[in-house]
Amino acid sequence: MPIDIAALAQSFRSPTLRRRLIAAALLGTIAAPLTACGAGGDRHPRFSTGTHGGYRIASPYGNFLAARHARELNDNTAAADYYMRALKEDPSNALLAQGAFLSLLADGRVAEAVTLTPALRQHNPADYLPRMTQAAAQMLARDYDGVLQLVAEGPTGGIHAAFNPLLSAFAHAGKGEADQAVTNLQKLERHPLLAGVQAHLKPLLLDLLNQEEAADAAYRDAIEGRERAGTRLVDAYARFLQRHNRYDDARRLVDQQLVFNPDNPALLHARRRLNTAMPSPAEPLIGNAVEGLAEAMFASASALGRSDGGELAELHLQLALFLRPDLDDARMLLGDIYEARERWEQALAMYAKISPASAYAESAQLRSAWCINELGRTDEAVKILRNMAKADPTSPRPLLTLADMHRQMERWSESAQEYTAALERIQTIEPRHWTIFFGRGVAYERAKKWDLAEADMLKALELLPDQPLVLNYLGYFWVDQNRNLDRATKMIERAVALRPNDGAIVDSLGWALYRQGRYEEAVVQLERAVELKGGDAVITDHLGDAYWRVGRQEEARFQWRRALGLKPEQDLALQIQRKLDHGLDPVATKN
């Protein structure tokens, strides 16, 4: 498991160093959700009897309120059940039907959601998701003419303009109508949302239609000359080459991509498949039109990403799994969405369905261990990871996950030990391994093993000299210790040049200037840092110090009071209060 640099950054609590890593944070977290599930015959006993929020749950309105509350907690199972109870008592209510449909779909109960689509489509024929769900059900039933009729009925605008060609393409493919299938897919070539999806699907569709030469050319056009080409497409092309007895070409393709994406589970799985003594022809990635539409739903979910919190992507992934339950890529992406919402139980359930023979088997185990740890079952999580490390003495990933867990619990020495054990399993250190030295260096720094921390940071820079996170961290480390100030300042200046809008890094530069007595210059940088990263107690405190040094005492006190209001750690809070009471000594430096 690669080190989660974002989580690493968010966990450090040093009043002087913690925000050096925040520059790397990519994902936020939300408050841990409550659960509406319980034991017994009713899955939601908290809301099943008596009243909730002043309303009787026996009433449609009470069930509606409970459903909305469950949706706010991202508990789709409870929401769907409550909506369905309310709908049973008020079957003509379109609002309840819509809520039930969306909750069922999000919960993966697509077959139940399908039963609601006729009423929803009668109420609003242009509603995209009920129409798409109905089409998926028709595809699964091999009712290709029904899908084409659905497309012909319209609508044709908005999001339908993107997905009508996909539905038509694979419905025609299911009927063996190759020309119509290719023509429809081609309509998406310049679509602003799905042009990338079309490029991904084109060789797969041609492969499905047994158009060997055209498929080969389309695969090469989509992959050759591209670093980090889509791994599913690379795997599909490797399978295509295997089926046509071009084993050397397949191996070369996979090895070329592994250079740029060396830890990718799908590529490693493909290489193991190809490196067997007698590799046999591999099954195509897409074996029929239904699997083709599943691939389209997965690819569109990947394209949508988390632009809306992952909600539309989540629904597309559920449709993909409805069409193709063995699509482990979709399960992994869904698990990732659930983790981002801190729905650990949902993520665990998704990872548990990953096949042990899947390319993602190890990744699913690692993610499961992480979820179990987040649920407070740390001993169980550690046991899982220890067993994984013992079962495969060559893989560093379980040990890296253990290192991250110890880091999260601020067990710095244990974290460093696990990083060390992971490094011992890596035969050749490459630039991509900078994250491990960086993580261990931070653990050493927090454990007050300064020399070891510095050595690891320097090693990380040796592996990746222009890594702004490391430049900033080590530069600030030296500045805060009043060491190597000239070199540290140059390193931080380089980090600022690489990430000019990162408030934490700009703050480092301001603090380096402050340490050198260049107070007017420091004020300029620290004011900018506060603008870029408001709400940081350390940066605000630094600005207060700089104001004091240039004679702006009232503004300094204002910033210090602001910093106190931002709830700094106790040591920093005591320092700030002393400055509010006595100011800064004319010759004092900040420790």
Side-chain angles (χ1 to χ4, degrees):
M1 168 186 220
I3 294 176
D4 184 348
I5 293 296
L8 191 69
Q10 291 169 343
S11 70
F12 300 124
R13 307 304 178 94
S14 166
T16 56
L17 294 175
R18 59 176 180 164
R19 75 270 186 260
R20 300 303 115 211
L21 297 182
I22 295 177
L26 301 177
L27 299 175
T29 56
I30 58 175
L34 304 174
T35 177
C37 299
D42 194 309
R43 281 185 288 184
H44 319 293
R46 283 198 299 142
F47 304 139
S48 61
T49 58
T51 63
H52 174 65
Y55 299 97
R56 288 191 59 80
I57 298 305
S59 71
Y61 190 50
N63 279 308
F64 167 71
L65 290 177
R68 288 192 59 181
H69 181 63
R71 281 286 285 173
E72 289 173 0
L73 297 176
N74 288 310
D75 189 345
N76 295 313
T77 302
D81 287 349
Y82 286 123
Y83 271 124
M84 290 300 284
R85 291 176 190 174
L87 189 61
K88 185 177 180 180
E89 297 172 18
D90 189 2
S92 62
N93 190 309
L95 177 64
L96 294 178
Q98 180 76 4
F101 169 79
L102 290 173
S103 299
L104 288 167
L105 194 56
D107 198 35
R109 293 150 67 179
V110 182
E112 293 178 66
V114 169
T115 64
L116 300 176
T117 57
L120 289 171
R121 296 207 63 237
Q122 184 177 12
H123 178 74
N124 183 5
D127 198 352
Y128 162 70
L129 282 168
R131 184 169 181 260
M132 198 71 201
T133 303
Q134 182 179 338
Q138 290 172 320
M139 282 292 294
L140 193 62
R142 270 58 174 182
D143 181 9
Y144 305 124
D145 286 327
V147 174
L148 293 172
Q149 179 62 34
L150 192 68
V151 172
E153 291 171 356
T156 59
I159 194 169
H160 301 283
F163 286 93
N164 283 345
L166 287 178
L167 293 173
S168 298
F170 287 104
H172 282 298
K175 296 181 68 176
E177 297 169 351
D179 290 344
Q180 294 95 319
V182 173
T183 298
N184 274 281
L185 186 64
Q186 200 68 27
K187 294 176 182 178
L188 291 178
E189 187 173 20
R190 299 191 179 185
H191 193 279
L193 176 64
L194 295 186
V197 173
Q198 187 270 346
H200 172 80
L201 293 174
K202 180 180 177 181
L204 298 174
L205 179 62
L206 293 168
D207 194 354
L208 173 65
L209 296 169
N210 296 314
Q211 298 188 12
E212 180 180 339
E213 290 186 8
D216 193 8
Y219 276 126
R220 283 188 278 106
D221 183 58
I223 293 171
E224 286 186 355
R226 288 176 169 81
E227 296 181 8
R228 291 181 175 270
T231 53
R232 282 187 67 77
L233 205 57
V234 172
D235 187 26
Y237 191 26
R239 291 167 180 269
F240 173 90
L241 294 171
Q242 277 186 258
R243 293 198 308 278
H244 294 88
N245 298 315
R246 295 165 58 185
Y247 296 108
D248 290 341
D249 289 342
R251 292 187 187 95
R252 189 179 306 110
L253 167 70
V254 173
D255 287 343
Q256 286 172 348
Q257 288 298 314
L258 279 168
V259 170
F260 304 111
N261 203 354
D263 295 319
N264 184 271
L267 294 178
L268 292 171
H269 191 74
R271 184 166 68 177
R272 286 193 294 270
R273 183 181 70 233
L274 286 160
N275 285 349
T276 57
M278 297 274 300
S280 57
E283 293 295 322
L285 195 70
I286 292 175
N288 55 56
V290 176
E291 292 180 355
L293 185 59
E295 187 73 19
M297 291 294 97
F298 169 74
S300 63
S302 301
L304 291 167
R306 293 181 179 170
S307 57
D308 65 342
E311 290 189 8
L312 189 55
E314 175 187 16
L315 300 179
H316 278 222
L317 291 169
Q318 293 290 11
L319 288 174
L321 287 168
F322 173 64
L323 292 162
R324 186 171 186 177
D326 67 345
L327 190 54
D328 286 338
D329 298 70
R331 294 196 186 284
M332 291 299 296
L333 187 51
L334 262 177
D336 184 63
I337 289 172
Y338 293 149
E339 285 193 62
R341 298 174 185 167
E342 297 190 359
R343 296 295 298 169
W344 310 113
E345 294 283 6
Q346 281 183 285
L348 268 175
M350 195 55 59
Y351 296 139
K353 295 176 182 178
I354 302 291
S355 165
S358 169
Y360 297 100
E362 183 189 35
S363 297
Q365 281 186 287
L366 293 172
R367 297 312 313 168
S368 294
W370 190 265
C371 293
I372 289 168
N373 180 62
E374 291 289 350
L375 288 166
R377 292 146 51 189
T378 299
D379 291 344
E380 183 183 346
V382 169
K383 184 177 180 180
I384 291 171
L385 294 169
R386 292 281 180 219
N387 288 338
M388 290 180 68
K390 184 178 180 180
D392 185 0
T394 66
S395 176
R397 298 177 77 200
L399 299 175
L400 291 175
T401 305
L402 273 171
D404 280 349
M405 282 186 183
H406 287 307
R407 174 266 308 160
Q408 186 185 54
M409 293 179 282
E410 299 187 3
R411 298 174 179 171
W412 306 111
S413 295
E414 292 92 334
S415 179
Q417 289 171 9
E418 298 300 344
Y419 283 129
T420 300
L423 282 167
E424 290 171 354
R425 294 187 171 196
I426 300 173
Q427 294 182 353
T428 304
I429 299 297
E430 301 175 7
R432 63 193 174 95
H433 295 126
W434 72 269
T435 57
I436 304 177
F437 288 97
F438 177 70
R440 189 175 67 172
V442 172
Y444 279 143
E445 182 273 321
R446 295 310 311 277
K448 303 187 186 304
K449 297 179 180 179
W450 315 117
D451 292 343
L452 293 173
E454 183 175 303
D456 271 352
M457 292 296 169
L458 288 169
K459 180 63 177 180
L461 277 182
E462 177 189 327
L463 293 171
L464 209 63
D466 261 357
Q467 216 302 316
L469 193 60
V470 186
L471 288 167
N472 179 53
Y473 195 106
L474 180 57
Y476 186 86
F477 177 78
W478 280 338
V479 165
D480 215 49
Q481 294 188 345
N482 269 322
R483 296 171 51 214
N484 305 324
L485 287 180
D486 287 342
R487 184 181 177 188
T489 302
K490 290 177 181 177
M491 289 167 59
I492 296 170
E493 286 174 342
R494 178 58 181 156
V496 170
L498 292 166
R499 290 191 179 180
N501 296 319
D502 190 310
I505 297 179
V506 174
D507 170 62
S508 294
L509 179 57
W511 196 238
L513 295 168
Y514 178 94
R515 283 294 201 185
Q516 296 173 70
R518 297 158 62 181
Y519 301 126
E520 295 287 354
E521 295 172 77
V523 165
V524 173
Q525 297 299 330
L526 291 170
E527 285 179 337
R528 183 164 178 267
V530 168
E531 290 176 4
L532 290 168
K533 192 174 178 59
D536 187 295
V538 175
I539 299 176
T540 305
D541 173 51
H542 284 173
L543 180 58
D545 288 7
Y547 278 156
W548 186 276
R549 293 300 184 197
V550 297
R552 298 162 63 176
Q553 280 82 3
E554 288 305 314
E555 291 171 274
R557 288 193 173 93
F558 175 78
Q559 294 300 330
W560 288 332
R561 283 191 290 269
R562 276 193 68 229
L564 271 184
L566 295 171
K567 299 181 180 179
E569 293 180 8
Q570 185 176 6
D571 289 348
L572 179 58
L574 291 172
Q575 292 177 31
I576 294 171
Q577 189 59 57
R578 282 196 296 269
K579 288 184 286 191
L580 282 168
D581 294 339
H582 307 293
L584 284 175
D585 187 90
V587 296
T589 57
K590 186 167 181 172
N591 295 315

Coordinates of all heavy atoms in Angstrom, one line a residue, residues 151-206:
V151 N -34.0 4.7 -26.3 CA -33.2 5.8 -26.8 C -34.0 6.5 -27.8 O -34.0 7.8 -27.8 CB -31.9 5.2 -27.4 CG1 -31.2 6.3 -28.2 CG2 -31.0 4.6 -26.3
A152 N -34.8 5.8 -28.7 CA -35.5 6.5 -29.7 C -36.6 7.4 -29.2 O -37.0 8.4 -29.7 CB -36.1 5.4 -30.7
E153 N -37.2 7.0 -28.0 CA -38.3 7.8 -27.4 C -37.8 9.1 -26.8 O -38.6 10.0 -26.6 CB -38.9 7.0 -26.3 CG -39.7 5.8 -26.8 CD -40.1 4.9 -25.6 OE1 -39.8 5.2 -24.5 OE2 -40.9 3.9 -25.9
G154 N -36.5 9.2 -26.7 CA -35.9 10.5 -26.1 C -36.0 10.5 -24.6 O -36.4 9.5 -24.0
P155 N -35.5 11.6 -24.0 CA -35.0 12.8 -24.6 C -33.6 12.7 -25.2 O -33.0 11.7 -24.9 CB -35.1 13.8 -23.4 CG -34.9 12.9 -22.2 CD -35.6 11.6 -22.5
T156 N -33.2 13.7 -25.8 CA -31.9 13.7 -26.5 C -30.9 14.8 -26.0 O -29.8 14.8 -26.4 CB -32.1 13.8 -28.0 OG1 -32.7 15.1 -28.3 CG2 -32.9 12.7 -28.5
G157 N -31.4 15.7 -25.1 CA -30.6 16.8 -24.7 C -29.9 16.5 -23.4 O -30.1 15.5 -22.7
G158 N -29.0 17.5 -23.0 CA -28.3 17.4 -21.7 C -27.5 16.2 -21.6 O -26.8 15.7 -22.5
I159 N -27.6 15.6 -20.4 CA -26.8 14.4 -20.1 C -27.2 13.2 -21.0 O -26.4 12.3 -21.3 CB -26.9 14.0 -18.6 CG1 -25.8 13.0 -18.2 CG2 -28.3 13.5 -18.3 CD1 -25.6 12.8 -16.7
H160 N -28.4 13.2 -21.5 CA -28.8 12.1 -22.4 C -28.0 12.1 -23.7 O -27.8 11.0 -24.2 CB -30.3 12.3 -22.7 CG -31.2 12.2 -21.4 ND1 -31.5 11.1 -20.8 CD2 -31.8 13.2 -20.8 CE1 -32.3 11.4 -19.7 NE2 -32.5 12.7 -19.7
A161 N -27.6 13.3 -24.1 CA -26.8 13.3 -25.3 C -25.5 12.6 -25.2 O -24.9 12.1 -26.2 CB -26.5 14.8 -25.7
A162 N -25.0 12.5 -23.9 CA -23.8 11.7 -23.7 C -24.0 10.2 -23.6 O -23.2 9.4 -24.1 CB -23.1 12.2 -22.4
F163 N -25.1 9.8 -22.9 CA -25.3 8.4 -22.7 C -26.2 7.7 -23.7 O -26.1 6.5 -23.8 CB -25.8 8.2 -21.2 CG -24.8 8.5 -20.2 CD1 -24.6 9.7 -19.6 CD2 -23.9 7.5 -19.8 CE1 -23.6 10.0 -18.7 CE2 -22.9 7.7 -18.9 CZ -22.7 9.0 -18.4
N164 N -27.0 8.4 -24.5 CA -27.7 7.7 -25.5 C -26.8 7.0 -26.5 O -27.1 5.8 -26.9 CB -28.6 8.7 -26.3 CG -29.9 9.1 -25.5 OD1 -30.2 8.4 -24.6 ND2 -30.5 10.1 -25.9
P165 N -25.7 7.6 -27.0 CA -24.8 6.9 -27.9 C -24.2 5.6 -27.2 O -24.0 4.6 -27.9 CB -23.7 7.9 -28.2 CG -24.4 9.2 -28.0 CD -25.3 9.0 -26.9
L166 N -23.9 5.7 -25.9 CA -23.3 4.5 -25.2 C -24.4 3.4 -25.2 O -24.0 2.2 -25.5 CB -22.9 4.9 -23.8 CG -21.7 5.7 -23.6 CD1 -21.5 6.0 -22.1 CD2 -20.5 5.0 -24.2
L167 N -25.6 3.7 -24.8 CA -26.6 2.7 -24.8 C -26.8 2.1 -26.2 O -26.9 0.9 -26.4 CB -27.9 3.3 -24.3 CG -28.0 3.7 -22.9 CD1 -29.3 4.5 -22.6 CD2 -27.8 2.5 -21.9
S168 N -26.9 3.0 -27.2 CA -27.1 2.5 -28.6 C -25.9 1.6 -29.0 O -26.1 0.6 -29.7 CB -27.3 3.6 -29.5 OG -28.5 4.4 -29.2
A169 N -24.7 2.0 -28.8 CA -23.6 1.3 -29.2 C -23.6 -0.1 -28.7 O -23.4 -1.1 -29.5 CB -22.3 2.0 -28.8
F170 N -23.8 -0.3 -27.4 CA -23.7 -1.7 -26.9 C -25.0 -2.5 -27.2 O -25.0 -3.7 -27.2 CB -23.4 -1.6 -25.4 CG -21.9 -1.2 -25.2 CD1 -21.6 0.0 -24.8 CD2 -20.9 -2.1 -25.5 CE1 -20.3 0.4 -24.6 CE2 -19.6 -1.8 -25.4 CZ -19.2 -0.5 -24.9
A171 N -26.1 -1.8 -27.4 CA -27.3 -2.5 -27.8 C -27.1 -3.1 -29.2 O -27.5 -4.2 -29.5 CB -28.6 -1.6 -27.7
H172 N -26.6 -2.3 -30.1 CA -26.3 -2.7 -31.4 C -25.2 -3.8 -31.4 O -25.3 -4.8 -32.2 CB -25.8 -1.6 -32.3 CG -27.0 -0.7 -32.8 ND1 -28.0 -1.2 -33.6 CD2 -27.2 0.6 -32.6 CE1 -28.8 -0.2 -33.9 NE2 -28.4 0.9 -33.3
A173 N -24.3 -3.7 -30.5 CA -23.2 -4.7 -30.4 C -23.9 -6.0 -30.0 O -23.5 -7.1 -30.5 CB -22.1 -4.3 -29.4
G174 N -24.8 -5.9 -29.0 CA -25.5 -7.1 -28.6 C -26.3 -7.8 -29.7 O -26.4 -9.1 -29.7
K175 N -26.7 -7.1 -30.7 CA -27.5 -7.6 -31.8 C -26.5 -8.0 -32.9 O -27.0 -8.5 -34.0 CB -28.5 -6.6 -32.3 CG -29.6 -6.2 -31.3 CD -30.5 -5.2 -31.9 CE -31.3 -5.8 -33.0 NZ -32.4 -4.9 -33.6
G176 N -25.2 -7.8 -32.8 CA -24.3 -8.1 -33.8 C -24.2 -7.1 -34.9 O -23.7 -7.4 -36.0
E177 N -24.7 -5.9 -34.7 CA -24.7 -4.9 -35.7 C -23.5 -4.0 -35.5 O -23.6 -2.9 -34.9 CB -26.0 -4.1 -35.6 CG -27.3 -5.0 -35.9 CD -28.6 -4.3 -35.6 OE1 -28.6 -3.3 -35.0 OE2 -29.6 -4.9 -35.9
A178 N -22.4 -4.4 -36.1 CA -21.1 -3.8 -35.8 C -21.1 -2.4 -36.3 O -20.6 -1.5 -35.6 CB -20.0 -4.6 -36.4
D179 N -21.5 -2.1 -37.5 CA -21.4 -0.8 -38.1 C -22.2 0.3 -37.2 O -21.7 1.4 -36.9 CB -21.9 -0.7 -39.5 CG -20.9 -1.5 -40.5 OD1 -19.8 -1.7 -40.0 OD2 -21.3 -1.8 -41.6
Q180 N -23.4 -0.1 -36.9 CA -24.2 0.8 -36.1 C -23.6 1.0 -34.7 O -23.6 2.1 -34.1 CB -25.6 0.3 -35.9 CG -26.4 0.2 -37.2 CD -26.3 -1.2 -37.9 OE1 -25.3 -1.8 -37.9 NE2 -27.5 -1.6 -38.4
A181 N -23.0 0.0 -34.1 CA -22.4 0.1 -32.8 C -21.2 1.1 -32.9 O -21.1 2.0 -32.0 CB -21.9 -1.3 -32.3
V182 N -20.3 0.9 -33.9 CA -19.2 1.8 -34.0 C -19.6 3.2 -34.3 O -19.0 4.2 -33.7 CB -18.2 1.3 -35.1 CG1 -17.1 2.3 -35.3 CG2 -17.6 -0.1 -34.6
T183 N -20.6 3.4 -35.1 CA -21.0 4.7 -35.5 C -21.6 5.5 -34.3 O -21.3 6.7 -34.1 CB -22.1 4.6 -36.6 OG1 -21.5 4.1 -37.7 CG2 -22.6 6.0 -36.9
N184 N -22.3 4.8 -33.5 CA -22.9 5.4 -32.3 C -21.8 5.8 -31.3 O -21.9 6.9 -30.7 CB -24.0 4.5 -31.6 CG -25.3 4.7 -32.2 OD1 -26.1 5.6 -31.9 ND2 -25.7 3.8 -33.1
L185 N -20.9 4.9 -31.0 CA -19.8 5.3 -30.1 C -19.0 6.5 -30.6 O -18.6 7.3 -29.8 CB -18.9 4.1 -29.9 CG -17.9 4.3 -28.8 CD1 -18.5 4.5 -27.4 CD2 -16.9 3.1 -28.7
Q186 N -18.8 6.6 -31.9 CA -18.0 7.6 -32.5 C -18.6 9.0 -32.2 O -17.9 10.0 -32.2 CB -17.9 7.4 -34.0 CG -16.7 8.2 -34.6 CD -15.4 7.6 -34.2 OE1 -15.3 6.5 -33.8 NE2 -14.4 8.5 -34.2
K187 N -20.0 9.1 -31.9 CA -20.6 10.3 -31.6 C -20.1 11.0 -30.4 O -20.2 12.2 -30.2 CB -22.1 10.1 -31.5 CG -22.8 9.7 -32.7 CD -24.3 9.4 -32.4 CE -25.0 8.9 -33.7 NZ -26.4 8.6 -33.4
L188 N -19.4 10.3 -29.5 CA -18.9 10.8 -28.3 C -17.5 11.4 -28.4 O -16.9 11.8 -27.4 CB -18.9 9.8 -27.2 CG -20.3 9.3 -26.7 CD1 -20.2 8.2 -25.6 CD2 -21.0 10.5 -26.1
E189 N -16.9 11.3 -29.6 CA -15.5 11.6 -29.8 C -15.1 13.0 -29.3 O -14.1 13.2 -28.7 CB -15.1 11.4 -31.2 CG -13.6 11.6 -31.5 CD -13.2 11.2 -32.9 OE1 -14.1 11.3 -33.8 OE2 -12.0 10.9 -33.1
R190 N -16.0 13.9 -29.5 CA -15.8 15.3 -29.1 C -16.6 15.8 -28.0 O -16.8 17.0 -27.7 CB -15.9 16.2 -30.3 CG -15.0 15.9 -31.4 CD -14.9 17.0 -32.5 NE -14.0 16.6 -33.6 CZ -13.7 17.4 -34.6 NH1 -14.3 18.6 -34.7 NH2 -12.8 17.0 -35.5
H191 N -17.2 14.9 -27.3 CA -18.1 15.3 -26.1 C -17.2 15.8 -25.0 O -16.2 15.1 -24.6 CB -19.0 14.1 -25.7 CG -20.1 14.5 -24.8 ND1 -19.9 14.7 -23.4 CD2 -21.4 14.7 -25.0 CE1 -21.0 15.1 -22.9 NE2 -21.9 15.1 -23.8
P192 N -17.6 16.9 -24.4 CA -16.7 17.5 -23.3 C -16.6 16.6 -22.1 O -15.5 16.7 -21.4 CB -17.4 18.8 -23.0 CG -18.8 18.7 -23.5 CD -18.7 17.8 -24.7
L193 N -17.6 15.8 -21.8 CA -17.5 15.0 -20.6 C -17.0 13.6 -20.9 O -16.2 13.0 -20.1 CB -18.9 14.8 -20.0 CG -19.0 13.9 -18.8 CD1 -18.2 14.4 -17.6 CD2 -20.5 13.7 -18.4
L194 N -17.4 13.0 -22.0 CA -17.1 11.6 -22.2 C -16.2 11.3 -23.4 O -16.1 10.1 -23.8 CB -18.4 10.8 -22.5 CG -19.4 10.8 -21.3 CD1 -20.6 9.9 -21.6 CD2 -18.7 10.3 -20.0
A195 N -15.4 12.3 -23.9 CA -14.5 12.0 -25.0 C -13.4 11.0 -24.5 O -13.0 10.1 -25.3 CB -13.8 13.3 -25.4
G196 N -13.0 11.1 -23.3 CA -12.0 10.2 -22.7 C -12.6 8.8 -22.6 O -11.9 7.8 -22.8
V197 N -13.8 8.7 -22.2 CA -14.5 7.5 -22.1 C -14.6 6.8 -23.5 O -14.4 5.6 -23.6 CB -15.9 7.6 -21.5 CG1 -16.7 6.3 -21.5 CG2 -15.8 8.2 -20.0
Q198 N -14.9 7.6 -24.5 CA -15.0 7.1 -25.8 C -13.7 6.5 -26.3 O -13.7 5.4 -26.9 CB -15.5 8.2 -26.8 CG -15.8 7.7 -28.2 CD -14.6 7.8 -29.1 OE1 -13.6 8.4 -28.8 NE2 -14.7 7.1 -30.3
A199 N -12.6 7.2 -26.0 CA -11.3 6.7 -26.4 C -11.0 5.4 -25.7 O -10.3 4.5 -26.2 CB -10.2 7.8 -26.1
H200 N -11.4 5.3 -24.5 CA -11.2 4.0 -23.7 C -12.0 2.9 -24.3 O -11.6 1.8 -24.4 CB -11.6 4.3 -22.2 CG -11.6 3.1 -21.4 ND1 -10.5 2.5 -20.9 CD2 -12.6 2.3 -20.9 CE1 -10.8 1.4 -20.1 NE2 -12.1 1.3 -20.2
L201 N -13.3 3.2 -24.6 CA -14.2 2.1 -25.1 C -14.0 1.7 -26.5 O -14.3 0.6 -26.9 CB -15.6 2.6 -24.9 CG -16.1 2.8 -23.4 CD1 -17.5 3.4 -23.4 CD2 -16.1 1.5 -22.7
K202 N -13.5 2.6 -27.3 CA -13.4 2.3 -28.8 C -12.6 1.0 -29.1 O -13.2 0.1 -29.7 CB -12.7 3.4 -29.5 CG -12.6 3.2 -31.0 CD -11.9 4.4 -31.7 CE -11.7 4.1 -33.2 NZ -11.0 5.3 -33.9
P203 N -11.4 0.8 -28.6 CA -10.7 -0.5 -28.9 C -11.4 -1.7 -28.2 O -11.4 -2.8 -28.8 CB -9.3 -0.3 -28.3 CG -9.4 0.8 -27.3 CD -10.5 1.7 -27.8
L204 N -12.0 -1.5 -27.1 CA -12.7 -2.6 -26.4 C -13.9 -3.0 -27.2 O -14.2 -4.2 -27.4 CB -13.2 -2.2 -25.0 CG -12.0 -1.8 -24.0 CD1 -12.6 -1.3 -22.7 CD2 -11.2 -3.0 -23.7
L205 N -14.7 -2.1 -27.8 CA -15.8 -2.4 -28.6 C -15.4 -3.1 -29.9 O -16.0 -4.1 -30.3 CB -16.6 -1.1 -28.9 CG -17.8 -1.3 -29.8 CD1 -18.9 -2.2 -29.2 CD2 -18.4 0.1 -30.2
L206 N -14.4 -2.6 -30.5 CA -13.9 -3.2 -31.8 C -13.4 -4.6 -31.5 O -13.6 -5.6 -32.3 CB -12.7 -2.4 -32.4 CG -13.2 -1.0 -32.9 CD1 -12.0 -0.2 -33.2 CD2 -14.0 -1.2 -34.2

